[in-house]
Amino acid sequence: MVKASFMNFVDRVLLLHDASSIHKFSLECGEAYDYTCVNAWISTVLRRNVQELILWVRAGYFVFPRCLFNCQSLATLKIDVGSHCSFRTPTSMCFPKLKVLKLKQVMFCGDLSVQQAFFSFPVLEEFYTHLFEWEKFNTVNISAPALKRLILDVFDDSDTVDDCEINIYAESLIYFELASQLAYWYNLHNLSSLVEARIDCRFGHNYDRISKLFGTICNVKVLHLSIPTITDLFELDTIGYLPTFASLTDLRVFVDSDDSDYDSI
């Protein structure tokens, strides 16, 4: 009864709202809700030129409206979908005004027939992920020329995910953070502006991948490394895979991988 009353209330508010734009829409709902209605609500606020969209959705399977992936008005998008729910996406995505993107427990799932994805974020400044995963992609290309902060906390156990190459073009990047088992290839391009990096990687024998990753961030001034990362780096250094950090002025070691700079949704 309470659930039905709440859904009717939201329907009436959105139906009677006659403004051409909505500044902020925040929605939190569990598995008991009718997701056809939830999808309709999201589509409605997107048509109303919503600028800030916050979604906390608990569902085993949920398909977001396709208009979300090329929304012209969004400046902030935050999505938390619970326990690694599938987030099916088109192979291309463009958010021309998006400045802040936060994704928690999201799986980007592609189509087996098209295994490359192209995501464009012309003005994106902050990109945060937590327990993030790519599925059914061979190559993902992310263009974010204005990006300053990038935090990737990735769910990428090599026994459970597909091999995937992640290309990130972010020439304005200042801060980079990665928590990963390096089941994916990470190619970060044009990082001449990078000042600080934080790495928590358990890479086993993926020497080529960790060597390439550290090669792209070797100009940093401040470097944070977890204890497991340092342990693996000792072996990496003995076989000549570790680059020289000529600009490094501050090396910091951290123990707790949960003690990160990730700002929760």
Side-chain angles (χ1 to χ4, degrees):
M1 184 66 179
V2 174
K3 180 188 70 175
S5 298
F6 170 74
M7 298 187 75
N8 290 332
F9 168 76
V10 176
D11 283 337
R12 289 198 303 272
V13 168
L14 292 177
L15 179 64
L16 297 175
H17 187 274
D18 59 359
S20 61
S21 63
I22 296 175
H23 177 72
K24 179 178 179 179
F25 182 78
S26 179
L27 176 65
E28 178 177 333
C29 57
E31 294 184 2
Y33 285 89
D34 182 347
Y35 282 97
T36 302
C37 289
V38 173
N39 201 311
W41 296 342
I42 296 172
S43 297
T44 299
V45 298
L46 289 171
R47 289 195 299 270
R48 300 284 179 85
N49 299 313
V50 64
Q51 298 174 42
E52 183 174 355
L53 181 60
I54 302 173
L55 302 173
W56 190 92
V57 181
R58 293 296 183 265
Y61 181 79
F62 183 70
V63 179
F64 286 84
R66 292 189 65 84
C67 55
L68 171 64
F69 301 109
N70 290 284
C71 182
Q72 301 294 303
S73 62
L74 274 176
T76 299
L77 176 60
K78 303 177 182 180
I79 298 177
D80 181 347
V81 292
S83 301
H84 304 292
C85 296
S86 179
F87 187 79
R88 294 192 176 273
T89 67
T91 56
S92 65
M93 182 189 305
C94 181
F95 289 91
K97 294 183 179 179
L98 192 67
K99 291 189 175 182
V100 177
L101 177 60
K102 296 186 179 183
L103 304 172
K104 187 174 183 179
Q105 299 195 86
V106 169
M107 177 193 294
F108 269 17
C109 186
D111 187 337
L112 284 175
S113 63
V114 182
Q115 297 180 322
Q116 289 198 50
F118 301 89
F119 300 147
S120 176
F121 305 99
V123 298
L124 188 69
E125 296 179 357
E126 301 177 21
F127 186 9
Y128 303 83
T129 71
H130 181 63
L131 297 180
F132 188 74
E133 185 175 350
W134 299 97
E135 184 181 74
K136 299 179 182 177
F137 285 112
N138 284 340
T139 306
V140 175
N141 299 293
I142 301 174
S143 174
L147 188 65
K148 293 179 173 60
R149 296 181 64 81
L150 175 61
I151 297 177
L152 302 177
D153 180 352
V154 186
F155 183 80
D156 61 348
D157 186 340
S158 59
D159 294 331
T160 60
V161 304
D162 300 323
D163 191 21
C164 180
E165 183 175 355
I166 313 295
N167 294 304
I168 300 173
Y169 301 87
E171 54 264 36
S172 301
L173 196 66
I174 296 173
Y175 179 86
F176 172 61
E177 182 172 327
L178 178 65
S180 168
Q181 296 189 39
L182 295 184
Y184 306 132
W185 282 91
Y186 294 95
N187 302 319
L188 288 89
H189 303 268
N190 305 323
L191 298 188
S192 58
S193 299
L194 191 65
V195 175
E196 185 174 357
R198 176 186 172 101
I199 306 297
D200 179 19
C201 290
R202 295 159 177 79
F203 48 87
H205 297 289
N206 290 320
Y207 298 127
D208 290 336
R209 299 185 185 191
I210 194 65
S211 177
K212 188 168 188 177
L213 172 65
F214 274 91
T216 62
I217 65 170
C218 63
N219 61 318
V220 296
K221 295 181 179 179
V222 181
L223 181 61
H224 308 251
L225 297 175
S226 68
I227 294 295
T229 302
I230 291 177
T231 301
D232 285 350
L233 282 178
F234 278 122
E235 182 175 353
L236 188 68
D237 190 38
T238 61
I239 58 177
Y241 273 72
L242 193 63
T244 300
F245 290 81
S247 302
L248 192 65
T249 60
D250 191 349
L251 177 61
R252 305 176 186 181
V253 179
F254 62 94
V255 177
D256 188 356
S257 60
D258 292 331
D259 181 24
S260 72
D261 194 44
Y262 179 81
D263 182 13
S264 63
I265 292 176

